[in-house]
Amino acid sequence: MERSEIVIALAGNPNAGKTTLFNQITGARQHVGNYPGVTVEKKEGYTTVNGKTVKIIDLPGTYSLSATSLEEKIARDFIIHEKPDVVVDVVDASNLERNLYLAVQLFELDVPVVIALNMTDVARNRGIRIDVKKLSELLRVPIVPTVGTKGKGVDVLLKTAVERAEKPFSGGIKIPYGNDLEAAIQRISHLLKSRGWILPGYDAYWLAMKFLEGDEDVLKKMKASFSEGFDALEKEVDAEKRHLQELLGDDPAILFADRRYGFISGACAEAVRLSPEARHTISDKIDAVVTNRVLGLPIFLLLMYLVFQLTFTVGAPPMDWIDAGFGWLGEFVSGLWPPGSESALKSLLVDGIIAGVGGVVIFLPNILLLFLAIAVLEDSGYMARAAFIMDRLMHKIGLHGKSFIPLLLGFGCTIPAVMATRTIENERDRLTTILVSPLMSCGARLPIYALIIPAFFAPKWQGPMLWTIYTIGIVMAILLAKLLRAKVFRGETAPFVMELPPYHMPTLKGVLIHMWERGYLFLKKAGTVILGVSVLLWAITSYPKPESFPERIRTQEAAVEEAYKKSVTDIADALRVPNPEKLVEILKEEASPDALGGKGRLFLETVAEIRKITSGFTARTEVLDEDSPAYAEAVKNRNESFETLRKKAPGAFELARQYVESAEADYQKGLAELDNLRAAYAFDYSIAGRIGNLLEPIMRPLGFNKKLATPMIGAIAAKEVFVAQLGIVYAVGEADEESGTLREKLQKEYSPLTAFCIMLFLLISMPCIATFAVVKRETNSWKWPLVQAFGLTGLAYVLTLIVYQVGKLWI
Amino acid sequence: MSLSDVPTGEKVRLVDVMAGRGLKMRLAAMGLLPGIEITMAQNGGAGPVVIYVRNGKMILGRGAARKVKVKIF
Ligand SMILES: Nc1nc2c(ncn2[C@@H]2O[C@H](COP(=O)(O)OP(=O)(O)O)[C@@H](O)[C@H]2O)c(=O)[nH]1
Ligand SMILES: [Mg+2]
């Protein structure tokens, strides 16, 4: 069978360095499957060797191939069904015996294997000397020493793997299981062969071994394909098992493991030399501090604090740049239309797409930094220590340390968190962890807090406020987990068993790739889901448009115009201009000033001067404190300018000043008020407003008005859409171009209590639709995602209701 | 005695894992089989223990450690 491309699968224990090698080999030529919809998260990459395309697949990390966890099942099924040309088993040289256990199981799968003996640098530092040639002879596989982080040996590894793939494969080494076990395997294997019970792609000897091991996955598959007479076969297998148990004193599954380890120990005894002080390594010294009974927890909390600090402080400047960029883009696009135009396309582009997508993309720096920190913690090996430290606490809520890692990942994104629960073998523990994981406030909720907190809380309270929100999430998760374990998923906590990998210096490249993957997914979401949702939300916020406004608004319009006309008429009388109507038109810039005589012109010029002085004064004092000397200085300058002007034309000056400071100012204020009234009316008239009106009775008790209703619905698509939609609600029908930022508008409309309630509700209520999909996939049922969505929304409602109603009494 | 009673720094040999099939198999896959040498790396009296097995480091929850029967060298 000649294939145009060579397929290499990378297998190995977690933390053996698979991904590092994968990145070294493929560089930028790689691709990660997106979570929702894709059944398996698969990393694929390409490289070229001797003009041939080589496809590399990074399989999930596993300790064995017994298919007790989802990862093991995925890895095993991939090798059996996709039949890669060669499997490269990445082995941690500093922990050889344990890592070779997987290698031995790969040999038994009857695929060509090449061992990448990775972390040889670590092994050397720990005084472990491996005779590679000897080990290779003993195991009868090519072994290539590598240092993933430095790219050492990668070329040789690739060459060796391709050679192995191209050579005909004549089977790997058979582990000596001893006469009794082997005879039993042979008997079962004959039985299977004689009945023709061989699943396509499987090997009879291997199947027989799995029967004796009691491998549930294989048994299930066999039963599905060959149901008739299956019970009889199972009885025979049971008899064999009992026979072996009596003969050798243990369950065959344990016996197999024992023989495999025996084989490995034998090989290692010959090929590996340990220096006596091999154990006292840097890792142990770090562990003595980091997992210390007294220091462990404070160090952990400090690290978490640093992570959040990094996310926010370092993230702030680039966020400003992105904000400015989108602001500029919005203005640029607006500028393509004549001023004052009411084009629907312009509104769609500026108010819908740029405001919506921009409002979300601005949080890219936060997301990148958070994932950067998580990648460093993960790659360095600290995450496993965190699980150790947290195990005692997790035990108190009926979970164990392993649940802690998914929950920690939940601060980044709930989707990888839910997927990471796969390492939890026990179903009850796993479901509990999945159900509470959205309460770990994810990165997508960060934009919401980042928008709201600075608007309502003084700088010194902003940090504590954020901390409070996150803590509420954690406390709720704890309480909920406790409740679930006590009432729904009753039973003992499953045993906690976990490898503690040595510390590694994470590589810049590895961490950056990890960070970029997450950032890319986020941007992709912004470009697809959020873009689509933004357009949709813009449409329902903009349409239908009211054809006319109600009586009360029209009356007020007339009143504002009337008042203005009256003020101008008074001025016209004083100026002795014969035609006040004309003056109104000129002042509104609807007619040319030439129509007025000499005295009128002087007045108009003075008005222009005064406007200039006033706007200059406003621009200068905008950022100043009214008590500051600079402010007093500005006032003095302005008054001097006024004085000069007055001296030139005393009569015109008084009238002009009266016009600018009262008549015109009142008129502008009146118009702005009218615009707000019209915008509010138009919003009520739009679909979004109608939905809001429908929901208002439900939302009111929480302190939410109808403008918050559609963003809250939008948040179900993706949490960060809330920010985008809020931007749209407030941008469509904006009172005027300089009506201030979204934050200022929110500040005017809501109280800090409402602001807090918004955050609280969004923290706890139903997770985003992507999480829903992943929970459905991971639990393989509709029940749990539905329970989660409705349960959390109900909880959010009740809790926010209490906070708002009680809070109102206090404030 | 149980692994959970072994003080930090002590070297022991695994005798048996008195647990259900699931845990027994998982421990076996990680190399915790009868006859293997275990060194206690950290046992704080409560919470999980850290052990060295086959030149690697592992965490065992206290519950699991209690089910691992060992004898001192
Ligand atoms: N010292 C050293 N560290 C390595 C080597 N290979 C990988 N690492 C580090 O080991 C950690 C885990 O590697 P990773 O590729 O994520 O392992 P995976 O879980 O198998 O994908 C990372 O911090 C890597 O930088 C190596 O050969 N030597
Ligand atoms: Mg990896």
Side-chain angles (χ1 to χ4, degrees):
Chain A
M1 193 172 46
E2 184 65 25
R3 273 200 245 186
S4 59
E5 60 175 26
I6 293 170
V7 180
I8 300 180
L10 285 180
N13 287 19
N15 278 305
K18 282 180 311 304
T19 306
T20 310
L21 282 174
F22 176 82
N23 290 339
Q24 289 284 4
I25 294 170
T26 61
R29 289 174 71 189
Q30 53 170 277
H31 160 88
V32 198
N34 202 354
Y35 302 114
V38 186
T39 32
V40 182
E41 184 199 15
K42 205 161 75 178
K43 263 178 119 172
E44 293 179 349
Y46 291 90
T47 188
T48 321
V49 180
N50 300 334
K52 274 209 171 133
T53 308
V54 178
K55 181 176 175 181
I56 322 263
I57 289 128
D58 191 9
L59 294 176
T62 58
Y63 294 110
S64 80
L65 285 183
S66 48
T68 46
S69 76
L70 204 55
E71 261 97 2
E72 292 182 3
K73 212 172 108 49
I74 290 166
R76 190 166 91 179
D77 284 349
F78 182 86
I79 294 168
I80 292 174
H81 298 298
E82 311 282 318
K83 291 257 176 283
D85 296 292
V86 57
V87 176
V88 169
D89 180 20
V90 182
V91 163
D92 176 354
S94 69
N95 190 2
L96 197 57
E97 284 195 25
R98 190 100 54 74
N99 274 254
L100 284 178
Y101 190 71
L102 178 70
V104 164
Q105 291 192 313
L106 286 170
F107 301 157
E108 292 184 326
L109 268 185
D110 229 20
V111 278
V113 176
V114 169
I115 288 181
L117 190 65
N118 197 34
M119 310 237 181
T120 42
D121 56 333
V122 182
R124 182 160 344 99
N125 287 340
R126 292 174 63 178
I128 302 167
R129 319 236 336 230
I130 302 168
D131 183 343
V132 176
K133 197 156 155 282
K134 184 82 150 269
L135 191 63
S136 167
E137 277 163 17
L138 289 167
L139 301 180
R140 293 218 281 133
V141 284
I143 300 181
V144 183
T146 57
V147 179
T149 40
K150 301 217 171 70
K152 260 198 225 162
V154 171
D155 289 337
V156 184
L157 176 67
L158 257 181
K159 216 177 100 244
T160 314
V162 170
E163 266 168 26
R164 177 84 174 186
E166 285 176 337
K167 253 198 338 224
F169 178 60
S170 55
I173 196 167
K174 286 260 179 291
I175 313 304
Y177 285 116
N179 292 339
D180 299 316
L181 279 168
E182 277 169 22
I185 297 172
Q186 287 297 355
R187 280 195 294 274
I188 308 272
S189 144
H190 275 302
L191 231 100
L192 290 173
K193 272 197 226 155
S194 66
R195 298 190 188 198
W197 281 16
I198 310 296
L199 288 167
Y202 289 81
D203 165 70
Y205 192 85
W206 188 81
L207 282 176
M209 210 152 69
K210 294 297 132 181
F211 263 93
L212 288 171
E213 273 185 344
D215 187 297
E216 276 167 27
D217 185 53
V218 167
L219 289 178
K220 215 169 69 196
K221 278 185 185 145
M222 289 293 281
K223 195 166 184 172
S225 302
F226 315 105
S227 53
E228 210 160 307
F230 191 83
D231 291 347
L233 178 76
E234 254 191 334
K235 276 212 186 81
E236 298 233 16
V237 173
D238 278 345
E240 287 285 0
K241 277 183 169 169
R242 241 174 296 129
H243 171 66
L244 289 170
Q245 171 99 34
E246 271 164 30
L247 210 61
L248 303 169
D250 220 333
D251 184 329
I254 305 296
L255 294 171
F256 281 123
D258 186 64
R259 301 301 185 267
R260 286 184 196 127
Y261 267 111
F263 172 73
I264 294 166
S265 296
C268 288
E270 281 191 56
V272 181
R273 198 125 296 152
L274 292 178
S275 73
E277 71 281 23
R279 226 159 241 167
H280 287 279
T281 62
I282 302 171
S283 258
D284 290 334
K285 283 183 192 135
I286 301 175
D287 270 346
V289 180
V290 163
T291 62
N292 184 285
R293 266 175 65 84
V294 183
L295 295 174
L297 198 60
I299 290 176
F300 168 75
L301 292 176
L302 182 74
L303 279 173
M304 292 301 106
Y305 175 78
L306 289 179
V307 167
F308 288 116
Q309 200 59 18
L310 173 90
T311 306
F312 283 96
T313 51
V314 182
M319 286 172 76
D320 288 343
W321 305 333
I322 296 175
D323 194 24
F326 274 97
W328 177 85
L329 188 67
E331 268 167 39
F332 173 76
V333 173
S334 292
L336 299 177
W337 276 265
S341 110
E342 291 282 325
S343 157
L345 180 63
K346 172 184 150 187
S347 170
L348 169 64
L349 289 174
V350 177
D351 302 335
I353 294 175
I354 297 177
V357 174
V360 173
V361 169
I362 184 175
F363 298 101
L364 182 66
N366 286 156
I367 307 281
L368 289 179
L369 286 165
L370 187 63
F371 278 109
L372 176 84
I374 289 177
V376 170
L377 292 181
E378 216 167 356
D379 283 1
S380 66
Y382 183 76
M383 283 291 202
R385 274 74 186 177
F388 170 79
I389 294 162
M390 295 309 287
D391 185 63
R392 271 177 73 188
L393 287 177
M394 297 299 282
H395 228 85
K396 298 216 164 83
I397 60 172
L399 294 172
H400 64 51
K402 263 195 189 176
S403 292
F404 182 73
I405 293 171
L407 292 179
L408 193 60
L409 289 177
F411 287 122
C413 175
T414 315
I415 293 162
V418 171
M419 293 184 44
T421 60
R422 286 173 185 179
T423 54
I424 305 167
E425 298 84 1
N426 181 284
E427 193 64 18
R428 293 182 306 250
D429 291 349
R430 183 154 182 250
L431 278 174
T432 309
T433 312
I434 288 177
L435 289 180
V436 304
S437 63
L439 289 168
M440 301 293 115
S441 186
C442 69
R445 273 171 266 196
L446 201 56
I448 301 172
Y449 313 143
L451 171 74
I452 289 178
I453 290 179
F456 293 94
F457 303 95
K460 71 170 178 199
W461 291 110
Q462 288 173 9
M465 200 59 226
L466 189 68
W467 184 86
T468 307
I469 290 288
Y470 274 86
T471 309
I472 289 173
I474 296 168
V475 171
M476 289 314 296
I478 291 173
L479 295 178
L480 195 60
K482 242 186 136 98
L483 186 77
L484 285 171
R485 286 302 260 120
K487 297 282 173 224
V488 187
F489 307 117
R490 264 182 271 191
E492 221 185 303
T493 316
F496 174 43
V497 181
M498 204 168 99
E499 175 109 5
L500 209 48
Y503 288 100
H504 294 292
M505 200 54 174
T507 58
L508 189 64
K509 190 171 168 184
V511 170
L512 289 182
I513 286 180
H514 194 100
M515 179 177 97
W516 172 243
E517 268 167 30
R518 300 297 156 205
Y520 174 75
L521 286 182
F522 176 77
L523 279 183
K524 203 163 127 186
K525 199 155 103 183
T528 52
V529 180
I530 295 172
L531 179 69
V533 173
S534 285
V535 171
L536 182 77
L537 293 179
W538 167 83
I540 66 167
T541 312
S542 303
Y543 295 98
K545 284 197 190 302
E547 270 161 26
S548 62
F549 289 100
E551 188 60 33
R552 64 185 165 89
I553 293 184
R554 273 181 286 136
T555 322
Q556 192 161 341
E557 253 165 43
V560 169
E561 288 296 331
E562 202 47 52
Y564 180 60
K565 219 173 272 172
K566 175 147 191 325
S567 316
V568 176
T569 308
D570 288 348
I571 291 169
D573 283 351
L575 282 171
R576 276 189 265 283
V577 178
N579 188 354
E581 304 283 318
K582 197 87 213 165
L583 186 60
V584 170
E585 281 173 27
I586 293 168
L587 285 168
K588 285 186 177 174
E589 295 182 355
E590 286 163 1
S592 145
D594 298 343
L596 281 183
K599 202 156 187 195
R601 184 149 323 146
L602 182 61
F603 166 75
L604 287 179
E605 278 162 14
T606 319
V607 165
E609 285 292 328
I610 292 176
R611 278 187 188 143
K612 212 156 75 191
I613 295 168
T614 313
S615 67
F617 173 76
T618 319
R620 194 140 24 108
T621 53
E622 209 162 33
V623 290
L624 293 181
D625 196 346
E626 278 190 34
D627 303 326
S628 69
Y631 189 89
E633 175 77 21
V635 172
K636 205 175 120 229
N637 282 345
R638 182 194 58 179
N639 291 347
E640 275 165 10
S641 308
F642 278 160
E643 205 45 47
T644 326
L645 204 57
R646 184 211 303 279
K647 278 195 187 120
K648 263 198 278 179
F653 176 80
E654 284 310 327
L655 286 171
R657 192 167 176 187
Q658 183 193 334
Y659 171 74
V660 173
E661 285 178 3
S662 82
E664 193 177 53
D666 288 349
Y667 183 53
Q668 298 292 359
K669 220 164 86 196
L671 287 183
E673 237 165 64
L674 270 173
D675 271 336
N676 279 336
L677 282 175
R678 285 197 208 103
Y681 182 76
F683 179 77
D684 271 350
Y685 197 79
S686 72
I687 298 176
R690 293 173 204 204
I691 296 174
N693 282 331
L694 271 180
L695 289 180
E696 200 178 9
I698 313 173
M699 314 263 280
R700 192 80 264 173
L702 307 185
F704 301 161
N705 64 17
K706 56 198 165 198
K707 281 188 187 163
L708 295 173
T710 44
M712 295 258 178
I713 294 169
I716 296 172
K719 288 280 173 182
E720 59 270 47
V721 165
F722 179 82
V723 173
Q725 170 63 356
L726 210 58
I728 294 168
V729 167
Y730 281 92
V732 172
E734 199 158 80
D736 64 82
E737 292 302 320
E738 281 112 43
S739 61
T741 62
L742 180 55
R743 273 198 193 127
E744 284 164 10
K745 287 182 227 167
L746 295 177
Q747 228 167 1
K748 268 184 222 147
E749 193 153 344
Y750 305 105
S751 67
L753 175 63
T754 310
F756 179 79
C757 286
I758 293 172
M759 294 190 287
L760 186 66
F761 187 81
L762 288 168
L763 166 71
I764 301 171
S765 64
M766 143 158 214
C768 69
I769 207 78
T771 303
F772 186 89
V774 171
V775 172
K776 146 102 193 17
R777 199 183 78 208
E778 295 290 318
T779 60
N780 209 4
S781 81
W782 284 103
K783 181 178 167 194
W784 296 117
L786 286 170
V787 164
Q788 183 176 49
F790 283 101
L792 288 179
T793 308
L795 179 66
Y797 189 89
V798 172
L799 212 67
T800 313
L801 182 72
I802 295 171
V803 169
Y804 183 70
Q805 295 301 337
V806 174
K808 242 182 11 182
L809 299 178
W810 283 75
I811 293 165
Chain B
M1 74 193 288
S2 284
L3 185 61
S4 54
D5 305 325
V6 177
T8 304
E10 196 81 40
K11 221 185 242 184
V12 292
R13 194 177 285 285
L14 196 151
V15 178
D16 197 7
V17 178
M18 310 275 270
R21 202 181 124 82
L23 179 60
K24 231 176 136 163
M25 275 188 63
R26 272 180 53 215
L27 293 180
M30 305 198 83
L32 282 169
L33 289 155
I36 193 72
E37 182 187 313
I38 299 173
T39 307
M40 181 59 68
Q42 197 175 332
N43 185 354
V49 300
V50 182
I51 55 173
Y52 293 105
V53 194
R54 295 185 193 270
N55 211 22
K57 222 172 181 182
M58 253 176 92
I59 306 172
L60 270 190
R62 189 145 289 268
R66 246 182 240 127
K67 294 176 181 150
V68 177
K69 301 298 169 199
V70 295
K71 68 165 188 273
I72 292 186
F73 259 81

